[in-house]
Amino acid sequence: MMDPDYELLAAVVAAGSLSAAGRALRISPAMVSKRIARLEARLGVRLIHRTTRKLALTTAGERFHADLLTILQSIREAESRLTGIRDTPRGPLRVSAPTSFGRLHVAPHLHRFLSACPDVELRLDLSDLNVDLIADRVDLAIRITADPPAGLEAHRLGGNRRILCASPTYLKRHGAPGNLGELAQHRLLAADGQLPWRLVNGRQQRLVDGRSHVQTNSSEMVRELAITGAGIALRSIWDVGDQLAAGELLPVLPGWEGPGDLGIFALHPKAASVPPAVCAFIDFLKHSIDPARWGPAGP
């Protein structure tokens, strides 16, 4: 029989503190501490550094915890295969999404997922950083990429067409570039790391380099700057489609666009049995977002 303190250790690490784990398991923090100490004594090694403000695994604890998660996951998968029963979505679910995409295309529909899966404890983090799903204990990440990591299961949600655009105010004041050569003379807008731009027009390919007129780490800031007439930006249709439809932004150099290799994906760690909450959230994404107006969905 597996020592129940193994699952307790996993719960403590997942919760981030003894008291939080105790609340989740409905036992006192003192009892949690006592059982962890008992486990350490039995194994003859310290697993957790305890301070008044935070908790951290020791080097030995990190190795043991990683092995323990693998064992516990294998047990859950074995039980699932044996019974043939797929549980209803429940328990913690941590999701990561790009800031703009999450705000514009996930948040407005999220109430439907919460209503359909009331037993899921959702945490949704918005960040433009590519989080490490394993290290950061993220169950599912929405990522815009041309090459999903080989170690993750990828579900394509749609394409990611990108066009050059600027506001009517900017184009009236500065004029529209007639060709790519003239584009470099204009005020370009891009978040950190987004320049140079790779542009294609049929079989033609060009690289447009330069310095953003405003330095920022925020893609949302770039969109707002473009709308208010600060310069020319290369933006995804999902990001500025409403502004293009309303005439707040106009296409620049039609025909020249970002390459069509980028796609929008839902990614999760590979496993023989994917948690029901992850499957439910992927289904929610596929039924909630509308990629048809963002460009080709791709293979």
Side-chain angles (χ1 to χ4, degrees), residues 57-111:
L57 288 170
T58 64
T59 300
E62 288 180 353
R63 290 197 300 267
F64 185 69
H65 176 255
D67 291 339
L68 195 57
L69 289 183
T70 301
I71 293 169
L72 292 173
Q73 179 64 21
S74 296
I75 292 173
R76 286 192 290 268
E77 292 171 0
E79 290 177 346
S80 178
R81 288 192 296 270
L82 179 64
T83 61
I85 298 174
R86 187 171 183 81
D87 292 334
T88 57
R90 67 178 70 251
L93 176 66
R94 186 170 184 178
V95 177
S96 174
T99 304
S100 279
F101 190 88
R103 186 176 65 80
L104 294 174
H105 299 289
V106 179
H109 310 291
L110 205 52
H111 64 282

Side-chain angles (χ1 to χ4, degrees), residues 261-278:
D261 55 350
L262 289 178
I264 303 168
F265 294 88
L267 307 174
H268 62 81
K270 290 184 176 180
S273 178
V274 180
V278 172

Side-chain angles (χ1 to χ4, degrees), residues 19-44:
S19 57
R23 287 193 297 270
L25 297 174
R26 297 183 179 181
I27 58 178
S28 70
M31 178 57 69
V32 174
S33 180
K34 181 179 179 180
R35 287 177 57 183
I36 292 297
R38 181 179 66 188
L39 177 62
E40 290 176 327
R42 185 173 69 79
L43 295 175

